[in-house]
Amino acid sequence: MSPTLTTKLQPGTPAPDFTLQDAQGRETALADYRGKNVIVYFYPKAATPGCTTEACDFRDSLASLQGKGYEVIGVSPDEPEALAGFTGDFSLTFPLLSDPDHAVALAYGAWGEKLVNGEITEGLVRSTVVLDTEGNVVLAQYQVKADGHVAALKEALGF
């Protein structure tokens, strides 16, 4: 397997635009969020332990994040049907978007080599990118830990 090279996003640069399907199969575009601060987080697979921990943490913190002016979008390679089950099973209250060909993850630097169970593999790297109201990168974090990530993110954002 030859590794896919991705470029990590840097603060101050424009985030790549995207349009992806949500859990109901509706198209959602990043442009729909212009004028709002947005947290775009990438997770490997719906309903797995780490991804569930992270999604529920965002769910439980959504009111405080929105109170500070941030919207949350989750992105994974899962198909919309899997996202619908995940959303329903865990009462997730923010959009989850399907990136089955991982083109958006590649564009955001969230796809590449990672260590899984002691082996190097290629796949989605748990990552979070925070965008300002104009769609520019404020913060980009890669290889984040699911547990405690939202608290660390809030601290990095100053609240």
Side-chain angles (χ1 to χ4, degrees):
M1 166 175 44
S2 63
T4 303
L5 299 176
T6 61
T7 302
K8 307 234 182 298
L9 297 181
Q10 299 299 316
T13 61
D17 275 322
F18 60 78
T19 300
L20 295 171
Q21 286 189 336
D22 69 8
Q24 288 72 43
R26 295 181 302 242
E27 288 195 342
T28 299
L30 182 60
D32 299 340
Y33 289 84
R34 287 292 185 270
K36 298 177 182 178
N37 296 299
V38 183
I39 297 167
V40 182
Y41 84 96
F42 293 86
Y43 62 98
K45 185 162 178 57
T48 56
C51 296
T52 299
T53 295
E54 187 177 28
C56 291
D57 200 4
F58 272 114
R59 177 201 64 205
D60 295 345
S61 300
L62 190 61
S64 66
L65 291 167
Q66 289 176 330
K68 294 290 186 177
Y70 291 89
E71 296 296 326
V72 174
I73 301 171
V75 179
S76 78
D78 296 299
E79 294 293 337
E81 298 78 24
L83 299 178
F86 189 36
T87 297
D89 289 349
F90 295 97
S91 302
L92 303 178
T93 53
F94 52 87
L96 298 179
L97 304 181
S98 173
D99 183 24
D101 63 0
H102 55 264
V104 175
L106 271 168
Y108 275 69
W111 187 271
E113 287 187 349
K114 61 183 185 173
L115 191 63
V116 178
N117 299 326
E119 292 188 31
I120 294 176
T121 184
E122 185 176 318
L124 194 133
V125 176
R126 190 179 307 278
S127 307
T128 299
V129 179
V130 180
L131 310 177
D132 67 14
T133 58
E134 301 298 315
N136 295 312
V137 177
V138 173
L139 179 69
Q141 298 178 328
Y142 296 94
Q143 298 183 350
V144 302
K145 300 290 182 213
D147 195 30
H149 174 57
V150 176
L153 181 63
K154 289 163 97 174
E155 187 175 320
L157 293 171
F159 60 93

